[in-house]
Amino acid sequence: MGKRLDLTLRIWRQKNTNSSGEFVTYDLENVDVNASFLEMLDVLNEKLTLSGDEPVAFEHDCREGICGSCGAMVNGKAHGGEDKTTLCQLHMRHFKSGDVIVIEPFRAKALPVVKDLVVDRSALDRIIESGGYISVKTGSAPEANQILVKKDLADRAMDAASCIGCSACVAACPNASAMLFTSAKVVHLGSLPQGSTEAASRVINMVDEMKTNGFGNCSNEYLCEAACPKGIKVSNIAKMNQWYKQAMTNQPLSE
Amino acid sequence: MIKQYIQSQIGKKQLVAITGLALILFVMFHLSANLLLFLGPDYFNFFPELIHSTGIGLRVIESGLAAVFFLHIGLTVALVRQNRKARGQQYKSVDYSNRSIATRLMPYTGMILLLFLAIHINDFVLQDHSGVKSIVGGESLGLYGLVYNAFANPFRVGLYVLGVFSLGFHLSHGIQSVVQTLGYSHPKYTPIIKHMSRGLGVLVAVLFASIPFYFSYMNIVGCCYVS
Ligand code: SF4
Ligand code: FES
């Protein structure tokens, strides 16, 4: 049994997309420091349920930092601001007894609040649908050395592929831009032989789709990189910028 | 294709970056010419007189600069307006403490620059370079004389220092931003470019600011170039 915390939570409560929400304050005592942030919310929800109140809606699935379901602004920082940490992997040991914790949903016009802390992220799915795939079936896993991939490109693709689509980058960006998310997919697929054939049309279509969904423009603030739980680098955005320019001028895309 | 490029989020930014780069080069050229002020009227007046003597050439340069300038601003305004709309409902609790000041102030330093530029053009470009305002010690010293007399006024000195520091701030974000937006990134050089961008911003501001200070000093002790 670890230390216990007494906390004051200010949580955004909103019935549905069309209602206007507000912060509601809850006192939560006796929280285990070893609990994760979501477990702490579970405890609160149990209390709320027992007293006949509506529990706080929040999204979660894996609770091990790999699925991208969870996420909220905690004290003004996406996922709570710990380095490379999703909300489910944020632990209560980072807080002190007596702390006031403000929990607000990720906000962007393209990601409307569904209820409380749950936002609708289908705009990110639409970006993927516009080009974040390869059109040909590549079959089951081939012999590893059949198609040779340069080590640095393989590394770059692998790093970019680790995006879990949590949308913290959009939430942290002062312009609610989806450039980091989109560039991760563009660079992931475009760096590999199977994905590079469609790289030019992919970058054009996916960049277009960001705008159609009402995401903002990148102003090189790099707050997305700081907020990303998977350490996706803004160098992916630079690559996407370069490829976009080359694709629009019918030049071959550079490596 | 061109239309799609201009309307796209990346295309617009890249045009802002390219026009910004052109303006940075102009600023560097302007700064080097300004530093000749320290050598006295004979050296400094050489450039303005040369440019003016080209007549039509001057008009071409001026219109080109103005076009680049307004393109830079117009596209930026379009981008910023989209950005303001993209959040929807504003955060009540957002913590931007790790946002760089230069970046945060970008639209504001830009606006101060616009105002400053209007004053600056009125002060030096639109004035008669051999008129009364250029007379120092009974003799017209050309554009040098205009500068000399302008900075007798401490209020104007303050205004120019504010103007050039806004410029420095603007550039310290702008230079590294150009590189990123045009799509260049390197694990080793990108951090160096970021430092250089900041350093260059400060350097440009300090060098430009040294001029009003120098002339207000000269105004106090009296001009040494009147023979
Ligand atoms: S880039 Fe990072 S912050 Fe953005 S969606 Fe992917 S994992 Fe989340
Ligand atoms: S619940 Fe899956 S990443 Fe947090």
Side-chain angles (χ1 to χ4, degrees):
Chain A
M1 278 287 257
K3 248 176 51 195
R4 298 274 161 173
L5 307 174
D6 294 341
L7 302 168
T8 304
L9 307 172
R10 294 193 63 219
I11 305 180
W12 186 262
R13 302 302 308 263
Q14 183 172 338
K15 234 194 172 91
N16 56 45
T17 308
N18 298 322
S19 60
S20 65
E22 56 173 0
F23 279 111
V24 178
T25 307
Y26 302 95
D27 288 318
L28 190 62
E29 283 152 20
N30 226 6
V31 176
D32 194 319
V33 283
N34 296 315
S36 74
F37 201 84
L38 298 189
E39 284 165 341
M40 181 274 291
L41 289 178
D42 289 338
V43 173
L44 173 73
N45 277 348
E46 219 158 294
K47 239 183 81 179
L48 290 177
T49 312
L50 285 177
S51 63
D53 294 316
E54 180 85 12
V56 178
F58 62 89
E59 234 185 308
H60 61 101
D61 187 16
C62 70
R63 298 210 175 193
E64 51 185 16
I66 57 171
C67 75
S69 300
C70 63
M73 302 298 278
V74 175
N75 291 336
K77 299 263 187 196
H79 291 303
E82 287 300 322
D83 193 33
K84 297 195 186 63
T85 306
T86 55
L87 194 59
C88 58
Q89 290 295 299
L90 179 67
H91 283 79
M92 296 315 293
R93 57 173 173 271
H94 294 294
F95 299 89
K96 298 190 305 296
S97 215
D99 275 359
V100 178
I101 306 177
V102 184
I103 313 170
E104 197 178 354
F106 285 166
R107 291 197 193 279
K109 195 153 159 268
L111 312 173
V113 172
V114 176
K115 187 183 166 84
D116 298 338
L117 304 175
V118 179
V119 296
D120 177 0
R121 279 174 287 193
S122 35
L124 296 186
D125 296 337
R126 288 192 289 275
I127 293 176
I128 296 295
E129 282 162 20
S130 72
Y133 51 80
I134 45 179
S135 307
V136 289
K137 201 167 181 315
T138 53
S140 52
E143 203 280 311
N145 293 325
Q146 198 174 19
I147 303 174
L148 298 178
V149 182
K150 279 196 198 162
K151 174 79 171 93
D152 53 341
L153 293 186
D155 284 350
R156 189 172 80 189
M158 192 66 190
D159 286 347
S162 65
C163 166
I164 54 176
C166 66
S167 77
C169 45
V170 179
C173 174
N175 313 322
S177 167
M179 288 282 275
L180 192 66
F181 167 80
T182 308
S183 68
K185 196 47 67 205
V186 163
V187 172
H188 159 209
L189 297 176
S191 302
L192 297 173
Q194 295 89 338
S196 56
T197 355
E198 290 170 288
S201 59
R202 175 182 303 118
V203 67
I204 293 176
N205 293 337
M206 289 181 79
V207 167
D208 255 9
E209 191 63 24
M210 286 195 294
K211 190 178 153 207
T212 310
N213 283 280
F215 289 102
N217 305 292
C218 179
S219 56
N220 302 332
E221 302 245 8
Y222 310 137
L223 298 188
C224 51
E225 182 180 280
C228 176
K230 294 291 131 183
I232 304 289
K233 294 261 171 318
V234 291
S235 57
N236 291 301
I237 298 183
K239 200 28 91 187
M240 178 162 79
N241 287 336
Q242 184 188 44
W243 282 352
Y244 185 78
K245 183 180 66 188
Q246 290 166 335
M248 290 301 276
T249 48
N250 287 321
Q251 292 170 61
L253 306 196
S254 50
E255 202 167 70
Chain B
M1 211 60 165
I2 295 241
K3 195 168 157 217
Q4 189 189 0
Y5 181 74
I6 295 175
Q7 284 177 347
S8 77
Q9 302 197 311
I10 293 182
K12 254 196 219 83
K13 278 229 54 156
Q14 290 182 335
L15 291 174
V16 171
I18 293 166
T19 48
L21 191 63
L23 292 170
I24 290 168
L25 293 177
F26 168 71
V27 162
M28 294 301 176
F29 175 75
H30 190 317
L31 177 62
S32 342
N34 276 18
L35 292 177
L36 294 175
L37 279 164
F38 291 116
L39 298 179
D42 295 342
Y43 289 90
F44 175 70
N45 286 340
F46 174 73
F47 257 126
E49 277 160 19
L50 182 76
I51 297 171
H52 275 269
S53 67
T54 59
I56 183 82
L58 173 70
R59 295 282 160 261
V60 172
I61 295 172
E62 278 178 346
S63 347
L65 257 178
V68 168
F69 187 75
F70 285 113
L71 203 59
H72 187 75
I73 296 178
L75 290 166
T76 307
V77 169
L79 287 167
V80 170
R81 284 182 53 176
Q82 285 172 354
N83 292 348
R84 296 259 149 102
K85 271 195 246 148
R87 178 103 289 146
Q89 185 170 7
Q90 296 301 310
Y91 279 120
K92 309 275 182 301
S93 67
V94 72
D95 176 359
Y96 279 145
S97 52
N98 58 345
R99 225 180 143 185
S100 98
I101 305 174
T103 316
R104 199 184 317 202
L105 294 181
M106 224 42 195
Y108 306 103
T109 47
M111 276 187 288
I112 296 177
L113 273 180
L114 188 63
L115 237 122
F116 168 68
L117 201 73
I119 297 169
H120 179 59
I121 289 180
N122 180 54
D123 276 351
F124 297 125
V125 182
L126 300 180
Q127 299 293 336
D128 179 359
H129 286 184
S130 47
V132 276
K133 286 188 180 168
S134 69
I135 294 174
V136 179
E139 182 192 353
S140 169
L141 293 185
L143 187 55
Y144 182 94
L146 271 182
V147 177
Y148 184 93
N149 290 329
F151 292 127
N153 179 349
F155 175 71
R156 195 180 264 105
V157 172
L159 201 76
Y160 270 72
V161 171
L162 178 73
V164 296
F165 271 92
S166 296
L167 176 67
F169 250 44
H170 204 75
L171 291 192
S172 72
H173 172 77
I175 297 173
Q176 60 89 16
S177 205
V178 166
V179 179
Q180 166 84 3
T181 299
L182 294 181
Y184 303 102
S185 175
H186 189 278
K188 195 162 104 209
Y189 299 123
T190 300
I192 299 178
I193 289 173
K194 279 193 198 162
H195 285 303
M196 272 173 47
S197 181
R198 254 172 256 141
L200 221 64
V202 174
L203 189 72
V204 165
V206 168
L207 287 178
F208 266 123
S210 67
I211 292 158
F213 281 126
Y214 172 71
F215 278 96
S216 61
Y217 172 74
M218 291 276 280
N219 268 287
I220 295 165
V221 299
C223 181
C224 355
Y225 293 110
V226 188
S227 43

